């Protein structure tokens, strides 16, 4: 799925007023992906707000409250295409109070653009967002040093910032960092090459987006098939048909392969891999199919079909990194619902191993109260064992969310270590 | 733009949408597909067929009927329901007007578009429907660009855009309290062009309105609208008859038409790829204010 992407999903992050929405507006505008009526609309809105130039950020700030305050509250998704690729952009908020929305946008991204104001350098939000991108295992991070027009397009300013950011990237073990000097407002090095920065010889942002090859981390991923739904037509044409519907989460399966159904642990063989009116020999990661087995075994939602020779870990004690979203702090020894693939189990928070000090990227083992927007490493005990892989090996079987049973709200994102 | 580079992209979007459909079937008790007879809801039904084959789709269809329909849409709808063998639920705006739940708008731009929210919410409550699958796409409109796949509605059917649940990876949290419901949007990430290319590659059947046909139309505020006998013309507005097709299909009073002679999908796709106006640029209902869609969505619109 990840090889030769014709679709690239990326997210933008950075501190408030670093110009994220403006950058996206610029990208859409200069790649001619803005429609006339949209442009008329924001031109008119800019004028009504007393601005002389067209405010491109109005394109993505879609909520009334956002336009009133001039900030981004929640993720906005935008779409554009060039002849080389299709892009899905998640434009995420910079305010710390909306971190959960930033995490929402970043969780499905292949690449993160992190904006840095050339005048301010590395600030807390730069570190926080880089850390979150790293936490979510986004392996391609582009640091866009923005507002170069306000620093006289200075090579020295850029070089110093690049050195600072490189140090951060090394510390966080970002495998593929990129550094670009841009002006989102004026368009330098976004789509068109800047004439103001002849000293910069790298690609423009769009060139980079169009050409970067997104590959996995090089590790072979064992095949996983979390069962979402059991298909049983019980119809005259298909009286005995029974298949297990799901989406392949890493690896691949083939007809005739020996598999095991978990948690029952019973073995069988793949008889058929079905989609609408078709049967396939193999299925690749990311594909939604329905699997028919040779034997009639009891399988339901939340169970998992895996290769007989590569079974995931079965665990009730889970150590994970989490990002906490709720206004209510995490309750130590408190009970939550844990949703992992198709299964939902009760769990208890057993221990906070450490809380991360985002400013210094250091572990805090003294103050371990986990509050909204905190990142921590915790250990959890689940009521029933789960089949897991480490998050860095498999994003689907390695991730979970925690739900507050009283409010039904999603209160944390978890990445299994 | 050639079809070739996008076909894998279309399969990726299809895999995602089918995954979402199956999550709905697994997580909810009483799901419906909001079916308008427009291309997006037709694609939803097509995806549902693919997601659950060879089973009958596990969703009923719900049509919010303003009474101002294109006749072709109703014929298409009834045939489709027959083919699927599922139940059709109709939430009638006329009924809501008759029983006093809704007051009919007056004047030139009178539309039953806004009234649909009340008829829809009443029907969802009456039948205890806990999830409505919609064909909304994030590329359509700026408020829709903010929507989650699984979008929570409180007991009054309202959307709270400033306080949406975080939505991580593909783990969807459909938990709710009694009386609340969800709206789910499986084709959130599709663009207008994706939908058309998918209709072409998957040979999805559409109502004839989407292809060129002769129709009586008139122009209002730069948009060509289909004319119907119950619509009031302003002084200076004039009905002409020409070759048009619909780019979107909604209530007849607010659906803009495009002057076009395109009678096949390839030509339609070429037109859309070249167009410089958004799809909803022709939707009169969005032109009422800067936050028209957000306000309607907060009230329970789809």
């Amino acid at each position: 799925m990840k090889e030769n992407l014709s679709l690239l999903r990326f997210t933008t992050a950075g501190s408030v007023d670093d110009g994220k929405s403006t950058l996206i507006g610029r990208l859409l505008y200069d790649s001619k992906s803005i429609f006339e009526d949209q442009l008329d609309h924001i031109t008119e809105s800019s004028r009504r707000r007393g601005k002389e130039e067209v405010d491109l950020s109005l394109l993505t700030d879609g909520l009334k409250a956002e336009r009133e305050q001039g900030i981004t509250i929640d993720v906005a998704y935008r779409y554009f295409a060039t002849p080389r690729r299709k892009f899905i952009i998640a434009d995420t908020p910079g305010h710390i109070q909306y971190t959960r929305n930033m995490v929402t946008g970043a969780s499905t991204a292949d690449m993160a653009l992190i904006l840095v104001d050339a005048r301010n350098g590395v600030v807390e939000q730069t570190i926080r967002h880089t850390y979150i991108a790293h936490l979510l295992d986004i392996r391609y991070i582009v640091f866009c040093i923005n507002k170069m027009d306000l620093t006289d397009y200075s090579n020295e300013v850029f070089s110093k910032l690049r050195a600072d950011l490189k140090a951060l990237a090394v510390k966080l073990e970002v495998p593929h960092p990129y550094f670009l000097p841009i002006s989102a407002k004026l368009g330098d090095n976004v789509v068109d090459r800047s004439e103001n920065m002849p000293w910069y010889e790298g690609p423009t942002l769009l060139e980079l987006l169009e050409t970067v090859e997104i590959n996995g981390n090089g590790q072979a991923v064992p095949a996983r098939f979390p069962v979402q739904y059991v298909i049983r037509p019980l119809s005259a044409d298909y009286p005995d048909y029974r298949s297990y519907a799901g989406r392949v989460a890493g690896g691949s399966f083939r007809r005739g392969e020996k598999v095991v159904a978990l948690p029952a642990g019973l073995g069988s063989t793949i008889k058929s891999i079905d989609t609408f009116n078709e049967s396939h020999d193999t299925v690749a990661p990311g594909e939604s199919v329905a699997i028919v087995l040779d034997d009639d075994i009891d399988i339901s939602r939340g169970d998992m079909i895996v290769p007989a020779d590569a079974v995931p870990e079965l665990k009730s004690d889970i150590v994970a990194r989490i990002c906490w979203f709720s206004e209510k702090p995490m309750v130590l020894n408190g009970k939550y619902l844990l949703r992992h693939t198709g299964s939902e189990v009760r769990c208890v928070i057993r221990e906070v191993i450490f809380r991360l000090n985002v400013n210094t990227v250091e572990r805090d083992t003294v103050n371990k109260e986990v509050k909204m927007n905190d990142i921590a490493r915790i250990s959890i005990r689940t009521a029933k064992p789960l089949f897991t892989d480490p998050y860095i090996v498999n994003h689907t079987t390695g991730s979970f969310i925690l739900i507050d049973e009283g409010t039904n709200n999603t209160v944390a994102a978890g990445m299994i270590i | 733009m050639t079809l070739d580079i996008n076909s894998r992209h279309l399969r990726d979007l299809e895999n995602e949408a089918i995954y979402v459909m199956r999550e709905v079937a697994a997580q909810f008790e009483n799901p419906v597909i909001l079916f308008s007879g427009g291309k997006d809801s037709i694609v939803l039904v097509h995806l549902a067929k693919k997601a659950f084959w060879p089973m009958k789709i596990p969703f009923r269809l719900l049509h919010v009927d303003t009474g101002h329909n294109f006749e072709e849409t109703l014929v298409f709808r009834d045939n489709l329901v027959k083919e699927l063998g599922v139940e059709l639920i109709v939430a009638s705006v006329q009924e809501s007007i008759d029983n006093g739940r809704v007051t009919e708008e007056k004047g030139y731009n009178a539309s039953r578009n806004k009234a649909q929210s009340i008829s829809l919410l009443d029907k969802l409550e009456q039948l205890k429907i806990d999830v409505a699958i919609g064909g909304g796409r994030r590329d359509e409109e700026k408020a829709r660009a903010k929507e989650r796949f699984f979008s929570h509605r409180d007991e009054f059917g309202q959307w709270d855009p400033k306080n949406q649940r975080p939505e991580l990876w593909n783990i969807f949290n459909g938990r709710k309290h009694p009386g609340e419901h969800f709206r789910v949007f499986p084709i959130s990430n599709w663009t207008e062009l994706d939908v058309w290319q998918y209709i072409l590659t998957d040979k999805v059947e559409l109502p004839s309105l989407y292809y060129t046909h002769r129709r009586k139309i008139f122009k209002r505020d730069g948009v060509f609208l289909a004319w119907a006998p119950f619509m009031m013309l302003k002084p200076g507005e004039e009905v002409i008859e020409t070759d048009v097709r619909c780019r979107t299909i909604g209530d007849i009073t607010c659906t803009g038409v495009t002057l076009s002679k395109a009678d096949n999908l390839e030509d339609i796709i070429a037109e859309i790829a070249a167009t410089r106006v958004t799809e909803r640029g022709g939707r009169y209902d969005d032109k009422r204010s800067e936050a028209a869609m957000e306000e309607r969505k907060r009230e329970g619109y789809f």
Side-chain angles (χ1 to χ4, degrees):
Chain A
M1 204 84 210
K2 296 251 164 168
E3 294 81 32
N4 269 330
L5 271 193
S6 58
L7 173 70
L8 182 77
R9 296 176 193 239
F10 68 92
T11 182
T12 55
S15 193
V16 187
D17 291 331
D18 279 354
K20 290 177 300 297
S21 300
T22 309
L23 176 65
I24 290 174
R26 173 59 63 189
L27 209 46
L28 297 175
Y29 185 78
D30 285 358
S31 65
K32 309 207 168 26
S33 310
I34 296 180
F35 293 99
E36 276 167 19
D37 53 321
Q38 288 174 321
L39 190 62
D40 289 351
H41 200 87
I42 60 163
T43 308
E44 168 65 21
S45 301
S46 306
R47 205 175 48 75
R48 227 182 300 135
R49 288 179 169 76
K51 297 191 175 175
E52 280 175 22
E53 290 163 19
V54 176
D55 181 357
L56 291 171
S57 72
L58 291 172
L59 271 173
T60 52
D61 288 336
L63 301 176
K64 220 162 124 184
E66 293 179 322
R67 291 190 299 273
E68 278 164 12
Q69 300 172 51
I71 58 163
T72 306
I73 293 172
D74 207 336
V75 198
Y77 295 90
R78 287 283 156 190
Y79 304 82
F80 77 106
T82 68
R84 303 178 77 159
R85 238 178 205 172
K86 282 219 164 200
F87 301 94
I88 300 180
I89 315 172
D91 180 23
T92 68
H95 278 83
I96 187 163
Q97 75 182 107
Y98 305 121
T99 298
R100 60 184 178 206
N101 297 332
M102 187 253 162
V103 177
T104 290
S107 69
T108 50
D110 302 308
M111 181 188 246
L113 309 189
I114 295 183
L115 272 90
V116 181
D117 188 325
R119 298 167 304 170
N120 303 339
V122 177
V123 297
E124 185 187 338
Q125 288 296 78
T126 318
I127 302 173
R128 168 177 289 272
H129 291 156
T130 309
Y131 190 83
I132 290 172
H134 152 78
L135 187 73
L136 290 165
D137 195 32
I138 300 176
R139 308 175 60 80
Y140 295 79
I141 298 185
V142 185
F143 293 99
C144 298
I145 323 286
N146 191 25
K147 307 196 183 181
M148 289 300 294
D149 52 309
L150 302 179
T151 64
D152 296 326
Y153 298 105
S154 154
N155 189 0
E156 284 85 296
V157 170
F158 174 70
S159 301
K160 160 141 199 339
L161 255 171
R162 185 174 53 188
D164 293 349
L165 290 164
K166 234 177 200 161
L168 178 65
V170 168
K171 193 167 180 183
L172 296 180
E173 298 171 6
V174 177
H176 305 283
Y178 299 87
F179 309 91
L180 262 67
I182 64 166
S183 165
K185 194 166 157 227
L186 302 177
D188 296 86
N189 289 335
V190 179
V191 170
D192 301 316
R193 181 156 293 279
S194 171
E195 290 172 7
N196 299 310
M197 292 177 273
W199 44 264
Y200 174 73
E201 289 170 348
T204 66
L205 179 58
L206 186 64
E207 283 165 8
L208 185 63
L209 292 171
E210 281 186 321
T211 55
V212 71
E213 286 293 330
I214 303 288
N215 295 309
N217 56 13
Q219 300 181 36
V221 179
R224 302 286 181 247
F225 191 80
V227 174
Q228 272 186 285
Y229 190 84
V230 182
I231 296 178
R232 288 177 66 212
L234 302 171
S235 62
D237 291 342
Y238 296 92
D240 301 316
Y241 182 92
R242 174 199 282 262
S243 68
Y244 307 104
R247 195 175 184 192
V248 179
S252 60
F253 290 91
R254 57 181 170 75
R255 195 201 316 262
E257 184 170 345
K258 294 248 178 292
V259 292
V260 173
L262 300 171
L266 298 170
S268 187
T269 306
I270 295 181
K271 185 177 180 183
S272 170
I273 298 168
D274 293 349
T275 58
F276 187 68
N277 263 329
E278 275 182 273
S279 180
H280 307 262
D281 291 335
T282 60
V283 59
E287 292 182 345
S288 287
V289 296
I291 288 180
V292 183
L293 298 179
D294 267 336
D295 306 276
D296 203 2
I297 46 185
D298 177 21
I299 301 179
S300 53
R301 175 175 169 82
D303 294 355
M304 201 181 292
I305 296 172
V306 301
D309 57 2
V311 178
E313 281 186 85
L314 185 67
K315 294 204 281 198
S316 296
D317 288 299
I318 289 166
V319 177
R321 300 200 266 190
I322 57 145
C323 184
W324 192 257
F325 298 138
S326 172
E327 290 88 354
K328 272 196 288 182
M330 187 177 79
V331 180
L332 190 62
N333 296 316
K335 292 193 175 70
Y336 295 92
L337 280 172
L338 184 152
R339 188 178 285 242
H340 170 261
T341 68
S343 55
E344 199 173 84
V345 296
R346 285 216 170 76
C347 74
V348 57
I349 313 287
R350 303 241 314 206
E351 189 194 350
V352 178
I353 300 162
F354 62 82
R355 212 172 55 86
L356 190 92
N357 180 333
V358 175
N359 288 323
T360 56
V361 200
E362 266 152 25
R363 299 172 173 191
D364 186 341
T365 52
V366 181
N367 175 8
K368 297 203 283 192
E369 196 194 8
V370 179
K371 296 196 290 282
M372 186 160 85
N373 300 321
D374 277 346
I375 292 160
R377 180 178 296 197
I378 63 170
S379 90
I380 294 175
R381 163 138 247 185
T382 57
K384 275 194 292 185
L386 301 173
F387 327 108
T388 67
D389 294 294
Y391 180 74
I392 53 161
V393 174
N394 190 318
H395 286 194
T396 306
T397 52
S399 60
F400 62 84
I401 59 170
L402 295 180
I403 299 168
D404 179 322
E405 238 178 315
T407 63
N408 289 329
N409 280 330
T410 303
V411 293
M415 287 133 281
I416 295 164
I417 289 172
Chain B
M1 200 159 302
T2 62
L3 261 176
D4 194 36
I5 68 157
N6 287 319
S7 57
R8 193 174 30 199
H9 161 253
L10 291 178
R11 296 279 83 86
D12 189 11
L13 292 172
E14 180 188 61
N15 284 320
E16 178 177 79
I18 288 176
Y19 172 83
V20 175
M21 290 272 180
R22 289 166 169 175
E23 280 301 295
V24 173
Q27 291 196 33
F28 295 91
E29 281 168 16
N30 193 1
V32 295
I33 291 180
L34 293 174
F35 187 81
S36 68
K39 66 179 190 317
D40 298 315
S41 58
I42 291 169
V43 165
L44 282 185
V45 169
H46 181 80
L47 288 163
K49 277 161 67 181
K50 292 185 110 169
F52 301 100
W53 180 91
M55 205 173 81
K56 207 160 80 175
I57 68 167
F59 310 126
R60 295 189 285 177
L61 302 192
L62 192 160
H63 179 214
V64 182
D65 180 1
T66 61
H68 295 163
N69 299 294
F70 291 98
E71 184 56 32
E72 294 91 328
T73 319
L74 296 183
V75 173
F76 187 93
R77 176 195 78 183
D78 293 341
N79 288 337
L80 184 67
V81 166
K82 207 180 288 168
E83 181 213 315
L84 293 169
V86 298
E87 190 191 334
L88 172 74
I89 303 160
V90 177
S92 158
V93 175
Q94 186 61 52
E95 229 166 75
S96 303
I97 292 169
D98 294 345
N99 65 27
R101 290 282 292 134
V102 171
T103 308
E104 179 110 60
E105 287 185 6
K106 294 190 176 61
Y108 292 119
N109 292 334
S111 168
R112 291 179 167 182
N113 188 288
K114 197 166 176 247
Q116 294 180 99
S117 303
I118 294 167
S119 307
L120 169 63
L121 292 176
D122 284 354
K123 190 57 85 178
L124 295 180
E125 192 174 324
Q126 184 200 334
L127 298 179
K128 298 193 166 43
I129 290 163
D130 57 355
V131 61
I133 305 168
R137 307 189 325 263
R138 290 166 174 164
D139 84 318
E140 276 182 86
E141 202 281 331
K142 56 187 182 301
R144 287 210 162 141
K146 297 270 165 183
E147 187 94 53
R148 302 277 192 261
F149 274 93
F150 270 45
S151 188
H152 179 254
R153 295 292 184 275
D154 68 12
E155 75 256 49
F156 302 103
Q158 300 175 108
W159 181 50
D160 183 2
K162 279 179 75 177
N163 197 20
Q164 300 195 80
R165 279 185 190 172
E167 194 165 88
L168 287 307
W169 304 287
N170 293 314
I171 309 179
F172 299 118
N173 174 5
R175 294 185 67 91
K176 63 197 174 316
H177 294 291
E180 299 174 347
H181 75 278
F182 270 79
R183 301 289 172 85
V184 173
F185 304 98
I187 59 169
S188 285
N189 279 331
W190 300 41
T191 63
E192 184 191 16
L193 200 55
D194 296 331
V195 171
W196 282 106
Q197 291 181 336
Y198 185 75
I199 288 168
L200 175 67
T201 57
D202 256 55
K203 302 186 177 61
V204 181
E205 206 180 312
L206 292 183
S208 54
L209 292 166
Y210 281 111
Y211 301 94
T212 187
H213 58 284
R214 300 279 303 170
R215 180 172 291 279
K216 289 195 167 90
I217 61 165
F218 66 100
K219 198 172 193 173
R220 176 171 293 170
D221 296 345
V223 176
F224 288 110
L225 294 173
W227 179 80
F230 53 80
M231 291 170 76
M232 265 205 290
L233 293 180
K234 290 183 190 173
E237 287 177 347
E238 182 185 357
V239 175
I240 54 165
E241 193 171 326
T242 185
D243 294 323
V244 297
R245 60 175 189 83
C246 295
R247 198 167 159 198
T248 70
I249 295 180
D251 177 294
I252 203 166
T253 60
C254 64
T255 302
V257 295
T258 311
L259 304 182
S260 167
K261 291 193 191 298
D263 61 359
N264 63 75
L265 288 168
E266 284 85 350
D267 288 355
I268 291 173
I269 288 169
E271 268 185 26
I272 287 163
T275 185
R276 299 303 309 149
V277 181
T278 62
E279 183 179 24
R280 295 195 77 94
R283 287 289 284 256
Y284 211 83
D285 41 337
D286 292 341
K287 297 215 163 197
R288 294 183 158 199
S289 84
E290 188 169 8
M293 175 65 91
E294 182 181 341
E295 279 156 13
R296 277 180 297 151
K297 280 183 66 66
R298 280 175 182 271
E299 289 163 10
Y301 188 73
F302 34 93

